[in-house]
Amino acid sequence: MSAADVLSSIWDDVTGTQPPLSDGGVLATAAFSALLVITPWAWPVCRHVVTIAHEGAHGLVALLTGRSLHGIRLHSDTSGLTVSRGKPRGPGMVATAFAGYAGPALLGLGAAYLLGRQHALAVLWLAVLLLALLLLQIRNFFGLYVVALAGAAVVAVSWWGSGEVQSAAAYVGTWFLLFAAPRPVVEVQLLRRRGQARTSDPDMLARLTGVPGVLWVVVLLALTVGCLVIGGRWLVG
C-alpha cells in the first residue's frame, strides 16, 4: 500500500462515522475515567496527560497570538514549562497564561462534541496530530519519552484496534480530560494558600492584569467545571 493510499484510508476513517457506545458503555467509560482522577495510585501517572494538554495549550495560544515559541519541557514530577518570546504584557501574554489550565477542559469539550456526532476516530487521529506537533517543540528527554509514548499508544489503537476499542478509547480519553481539568486548578489554589506557587499561572495573570489571582482561579474553575457539565451532557446524550 502506497503512502497516498494510507493517507486516503486515514482520511476516510476520520471523516466517516463510527457506531456510538451503548448507554452502559458511555457510563462505564465515565466511571473508569473518574477513578483515574480520584484514586491516589492512578492520578500521579495520569496527570502527565493533563500536563501535556496544559503545556501544549500554552504553546498553541502563544503561536496564535504572534509570540515566538522557544520550546516545551515536561518533567517527571508532572510539572512543565513553556518558553515563548514576545511582548511581556498585553492580550497575547494574558491569553497564553490563561490557556494552560483551560486547555485540557476545552480539548475535552471539543472531543465530546465530535463524539456526540459519532466521530470517534476523528478524536483519536486529532490527538495523534496534536501530539506529533507537540513533539517537535519538546526540549528535554523525559518530555520526548512521555509524548512519544502517548502518541504511539493512540496510533496503535487508531490503526489496529477494533471499532469498539477505538470508540471506548476515545470516550475514556475525553471523559478523562473533562474530569481531570478542574483538579489541577484546585491543587494550584491549595499551593497558593501555602505560599508555594508564586510563579503559577493565576499569579502571572494577576501581575499582568491587576486582577487578584484568586479571582483567576475562580474563573478557571468555573470554566473547567462548565466544560465538564456541557461535555458530559453531549457524551451521555
Side-chain angles (χ1 to χ4, degrees):
M1 182 180 294
S2 67
D5 291 335
V6 171
L7 292 175
S8 177
S9 176
I10 293 174
W11 180 252
D12 289 341
D13 289 338
V14 168
T15 56
T17 60
Q18 292 75 42
L21 292 182
S22 65
D23 291 344
V26 173
L27 295 178
T29 55
F32 177 72
S33 301
L35 285 175
L36 296 179
V37 176
I38 65 177
T39 52
W41 55 267
W43 177 245
V45 176
C46 296
R47 198 185 192 284
H48 288 291
V49 176
V50 182
T51 304
I52 289 173
H54 180 114
E55 300 302 333
H58 276 316
L60 176 61
V61 174
L63 291 174
L64 291 176
T65 56
R67 299 180 62 81
S68 176
L69 186 59
H70 282 241
I72 296 172
R73 301 175 70 88
L74 305 175
H75 306 131
S76 59
D77 63 355
T78 73
S79 65
L81 177 66
T82 299
V83 179
S84 64
R85 296 286 187 271
K87 293 181 179 179
R89 307 187 71 86
M93 189 62 203
V94 171
T96 299
F98 184 83
Y101 285 105
L106 294 175
L107 186 60
L109 186 65
Y113 177 85
L114 291 174
L115 285 176
R117 282 146 185 78
Q118 302 181 21
H119 293 298
L121 266 179
V123 171
L124 296 177
W125 282 112
L126 180 60
V128 171
L129 175 61
L130 293 175
L131 288 168
L133 294 175
L134 179 63
L135 195 63
L136 299 176
Q137 296 296 332
I138 297 296
R139 295 295 182 265
N140 68 321
F141 177 78
F142 183 82
L144 289 172
Y145 167 74
V146 170
V147 175
L149 183 64
V154 180
V155 168
V157 172
S158 303
W159 194 254
W160 291 291
S162 64
E164 293 79 5
V165 170
Q166 292 167 347
S167 292
Y171 271 87
V172 167
T174 301
W175 276 120
F176 175 76
L177 287 172
L178 292 172
F179 279 124
R183 179 164 178 172
V185 180
V186 175
E187 290 175 343
V188 77
Q189 178 57 22
L190 294 176
L191 291 174
R192 292 183 71 253
R193 289 183 63 182
R194 296 195 293 265
Q196 298 176 351
R198 300 184 185 280
T199 60
S200 69
D201 291 349
D203 289 285
M204 180 179 295
L205 287 165
R207 290 191 291 271
L208 290 169
T209 64
V211 177
V214 67
L215 292 184
W216 285 109
V217 171
V218 171
V219 170
L220 288 166
L221 187 60
L223 173 64
T224 54
V225 173
C227 287
L228 170 58
V229 172
I230 296 171
R233 290 182 62 182
W234 287 345
L235 292 173
V236 173

